[in-house]
Amino acid sequence: PSPLQPRLPRPAVVAPPSRPMSLSLLVVDDDETARETLADFFASLGYAVRAAAAATEARRAAAAHAPDVVLADLRLPDAS
């Protein structure tokens, strides 16, 4: 940059950890493609992933396995 242009900070690049923390994730989505894509992505990074297609199924999985993170579709048909 020229002396008259302000220097902008570079955006942070977030790289997956070389050894992921042992976090468990629950992916909840009634769209099979979205659910499987997210589950596969996080599993490929080494996270323990469970997936559910409905809110009822997700509640059971969460009660049984106590995930650290839940990624949920906000418009599940059986959620109230």
Side-chain angles (χ1 to χ4, degrees):
S2 76
L4 299 177
Q5 292 178 330
R7 182 175 283 188
L8 299 175
R10 292 184 179 203
V13 176
V14 179
S18 58
R19 285 185 12 200
M21 296 179 287
S22 58
L23 290 176
S24 60
L25 286 84
L26 174 59
V27 177
V28 188
D29 201 315
D30 58 321
D31 181 301
E32 183 179 8
T33 302
R35 183 177 65 250
E36 289 181 0
T37 299
L38 287 168
D40 290 347
F41 171 73
F42 286 107
S44 75
L45 295 176
Y47 295 100
V49 180
R50 294 186 182 276
T56 305
E57 182 184 351
R59 285 185 199 104
R60 280 193 291 260
H65 304 288
D68 296 304
V69 177
V70 176
L71 300 174
D73 179 353
L74 297 178
R75 295 183 182 169
L76 293 168
D78 68 331
S80 56

